[in-house]
Amino acid sequence: MNELLIIAAPDVTEKRHEWLRSLANERWLSENTLDAYERDTRQFLTFLTGHVGGPAKLADIHTLRPADLRAFLAARRREGSGARSLGRHLAGLRSFLRYLERQGLANAAAAGAIRAPKQPKSLPKPLTDRQALNLVTTDAQLQEEPWIAARDAAVLTLLYGCGLRISEALGLTPADITAGSKTLRITGKGGKTRIVPLLPIVTEAVAAYRKLCPYHMDDDDLLFRGARGGPLQPAIIQREMQKLRSAFGLPETATPHALRHSFATHLLAGGGDLRTIQELLGHASLSTTQIYTGVDSSRLLEVYDRAHPRA
């Protein structure tokens, strides 16, 4: 957190630090959510300083009106934030204000009086089964160094073969996947643990990477390494996927996360039930998983329109 960029009174800065620490220690929010809340409140305090004409103090926050928060959201929209980002801005501010309210330092009613922007309905963009299978092979990787090509293939295979988030795959240790492993225990968002089956193609890909990897690994080390032996960063895999998109002529929606979408969509198309897929993905709510029924239905209609002689 860079407080040098926040023009706010010390009392606000101190309470904001306390709130962020409480989120990290007590609520088990993901690192991405914590980063977003930190950034959103930093932007809000910077806005509020200009809005009230001086360093924002707790007294200024205590007297916030719905119009003040609407002005902030309007400013963010003018700077390019979409409905999803605006909704997250509001969620972070509500959390911060409720934290202050519990200490008698603010009134969260202003944030509660504002409706979150209506979220656009967008379906996940999975790859076809052939595209996904082609991408996860070692031969498809564009890296000249054999062990790095095997590493990238193993990561992508975990995303598609197990439906993992990229952060979950890169957080694995050698002890998580051994030669005889049939299942994989994953701790996902909110500290929720789930068990996913390990297909032979996954264990084989990981074994091929470990055989070629030049770095020693203890059981509790991170499994996937960068070129110099440090932890493998998500940006590296995202960059390699971008190169693969270009090489294979795939759309911009072909991202590492699209392989997780593909995992769910292909299971559903193959007859998997939503409850099982929900458990495998680690979704807290079935409604989150139900979005894949829309993907499957739209693909069926595409096939119908393309193939039916009277369509």
Side-chain angles (χ1 to χ4, degrees):
M1 292 178 292
N2 190 350
E3 294 292 354
L4 293 176
L5 300 179
I6 301 176
I7 309 170
D11 57 353
V12 174
T13 300
E14 181 182 351
K15 288 300 177 183
R16 179 172 170 275
H17 275 310
E18 289 179 5
W19 167 66
L20 290 169
R21 282 197 298 269
S22 73
L23 293 181
N25 297 332
E26 298 169 19
R27 292 187 54 190
W28 294 89
L29 294 181
S30 72
E31 186 174 340
N32 287 341
T33 300
L34 287 172
D35 287 345
Y37 279 9
E38 186 279 325
R39 184 170 58 253
D40 292 340
T41 49
R42 170 161 36 93
Q43 291 168 345
F44 174 67
L45 290 175
T46 302
F47 164 83
L48 189 59
T49 290
H51 193 61
V52 302
K57 302 183 289 292
L58 284 174
D60 297 313
I61 294 177
H62 194 280
T63 56
L64 281 174
R65 301 165 300 162
D68 299 319
L69 295 176
R70 290 193 186 99
F72 168 65
L73 296 177
R76 297 304 304 157
R77 185 181 290 278
R78 286 193 299 272
E79 293 175 14
S81 290
R84 292 187 187 280
S85 294
L86 293 174
R88 195 202 60 233
H89 293 334
L90 189 55
L93 290 176
R94 282 173 175 162
S95 175
F96 183 40
L97 291 174
R98 283 196 296 266
Y99 177 81
L100 295 176
E101 187 176 54
R102 288 194 294 271
Q103 300 181 39
L105 298 173
N107 186 346
I114 298 177
R115 276 188 170 186
K118 188 174 182 180
Q119 301 296 317
K121 289 186 177 180
S122 60
L123 294 176
K125 302 295 192 298
L127 304 173
T128 67
D129 51 0
R130 183 176 295 276
Q131 287 172 337
L133 289 171
N134 285 341
L135 281 177
V136 302
T137 64
T138 301
D139 290 342
Q141 307 312 307
L142 303 176
Q143 289 283 351
E144 294 183 2
E145 187 70 40
W147 80 268
I148 295 181
R151 177 202 69 189
D152 294 350
V155 173
L156 297 180
T157 302
L158 278 162
L159 303 187
Y160 179 53
C162 299
L164 302 192
R165 301 175 179 94
I166 190 169
S167 59
E168 294 169 345
L170 299 189
L172 294 173
T173 68
D176 291 324
I177 303 179
T178 59
S181 297
K182 300 294 183 184
T183 58
L184 181 61
R185 181 182 295 272
I186 295 294
T187 301
K189 286 186 175 180
K192 184 179 179 181
T193 299
R194 67 187 191 275
I195 304 294
V196 297
L198 271 177
L199 299 173
I201 190 175
V202 177
T203 53
E204 289 165 9
V206 172
Y209 155 66
R210 292 196 63 180
K211 184 177 180 180
L212 294 174
C213 182
Y215 299 108
H216 172 75
M217 298 181 198
D218 292 324
D219 282 350
D220 57 352
D221 289 337
L222 287 175
L223 175 60
F224 293 109
R225 305 296 185 84
R228 297 182 180 180
L232 179 60
Q233 300 300 316
I236 300 296
I237 298 300
Q238 289 160 351
R239 206 155 45 233
E240 290 307 308
M241 191 70 165
Q242 187 176 11
K243 295 177 184 176
L244 289 170
R245 281 202 304 267
S246 178
F248 283 83
L250 299 175
E252 290 295 313
T253 53
T255 63
H257 201 66
L259 289 171
R260 174 173 157 89
H261 291 322
S262 304
F263 166 85
T265 305
H266 298 166
L267 280 181
L268 186 63
D273 66 274
L274 277 177
R275 284 289 181 191
T276 301
I277 296 171
Q278 176 193 359
E279 289 297 321
L280 292 174
L281 291 173
H283 286 162
S285 169
L286 185 63
S287 62
T288 307
T289 315
Q290 283 175 330
I291 194 171
Y292 293 106
T293 62
V295 177
D296 197 41
S297 298
S298 61
R299 292 185 73 142
L300 286 172
L301 289 172
E302 286 176 15
V303 172
Y304 176 85
D305 288 339
R306 187 170 60 248
H308 197 283
R310 301 301 295 272

